[in-house]
Amino acid sequence: MNKIFIGGSRHVSRLPAPVRARLDTIMEKGLPVIVGDANGADKAMQRYLSFKNYNKVEVFCSGSECRNNIGHWQIRQIDAETRNRGRSFYIAKDRAMAREADFGLMVWDGKSKGTLLNVFRLLKQGKKVVVYNTSEQKFAEIRTFDQWGHFINLYGPELRRETEKEAELEEREEPNRHPPLLLPLMPG
């Protein structure tokens, strides 16, 4: 059964109706969902799934405690190999969710590089991602790196460079632990 990685930007605290409709479809199909424990989109999605009494949810957390587990679902604690709650602490959780999922549904504020990194991680593993851009109020389905290029280029070469540079830095930090996320950096 297909497992869906749902997530998004920390600046998104309310789910737009089209995203709620997608979540309703996921629940109607009985698909398992994995979600992070961050404030913002993760928490908003948890709140909605809990309101709907959906139980096929697993919450991924870095370290020993979840920040949010609204539905009291099963948790998966990911060893972050650091106690410093910086970027590396949360990357471990995000990478684990991308590896475990079959598809992604991301709610993006039009700015968050973290959400784009999750899109990039899923694509690198050959997985489809649906991105809802809250600022434009529309969905984009991304299945290939060609589609990634068309999608990200709409938001300027700087955002693309920054996102792909973050992916490169992430790979350098943990080169032997996970499959590489890198593609050659593309000119804007």
Side-chain angles (χ1 to χ4, degrees), residues 2-166:
N2 292 324
K3 191 176 282 189
I4 314 296
F5 172 6
I6 60 174
S9 305
R10 286 181 300 200
H11 295 287
V12 174
S13 59
R14 295 183 187 187
L15 296 181
V19 174
R20 291 192 309 268
R22 289 274 177 136
L23 289 173
D24 288 341
T25 300
I26 289 168
M27 290 184 280
E28 287 166 11
K29 292 180 178 183
L31 298 174
V33 169
I34 56 178
V35 63
D37 65 333
N39 290 319
D42 290 356
K43 187 175 181 179
M45 289 185 182
Q46 284 190 25
R47 196 171 27 249
Y48 188 71
L49 294 168
S50 179
F51 173 76
K52 293 289 193 166
N53 295 312
Y54 195 62
N55 64 0
K56 293 184 178 181
V57 178
E58 187 173 16
V59 180
F60 279 55
C61 312
S62 290
S64 60
E65 292 182 24
C66 277
R67 296 169 287 182
N68 293 293
N69 184 358
I70 292 171
H72 306 287
W73 297 290
Q74 179 179 340
I75 62 169
R76 175 97 53 99
Q77 294 174 310
I78 305 300
D79 179 20
E81 295 188 5
T82 180
R83 291 185 185 264
N84 177 12
R85 292 182 181 259
R87 187 170 65 87
S88 295
F89 186 78
Y90 297 108
I91 284 173
K93 167 187 59 79
D94 291 342
R95 288 182 85 141
M97 288 190 291
R99 280 192 307 275
E100 178 126 351
D102 298 297
F103 297 98
L105 171 61
M106 298 291 142
V107 181
W108 185 50
D109 63 1
K111 301 173 189 169
S112 167
K113 286 182 286 198
T115 302
L116 292 177
L117 280 168
N118 283 329
V119 171
F120 200 78
R121 288 179 187 110
L122 287 158
L123 288 173
K124 181 62 181 165
Q125 296 172 48
K127 300 170 184 179
K128 175 182 142 183
V129 186
V130 175
V131 179
Y132 184 81
N133 184 331
T134 59
S135 62
E136 296 178 353
Q137 301 179 356
K138 67 179 186 177
F139 284 104
E141 288 191 16
I142 308 170
R143 297 174 187 258
T144 67
F145 277 102
D146 281 344
Q147 290 174 333
W148 159 260
H150 293 296
F151 170 79
I152 194 65
N153 284 341
L154 296 172
Y155 305 101
E158 186 62 26
L159 184 59
R160 182 176 188 166
R161 265 192 303 279
E162 288 175 9
T163 303
E164 292 178 2
K165 184 171 176 97
E166 286 289 323

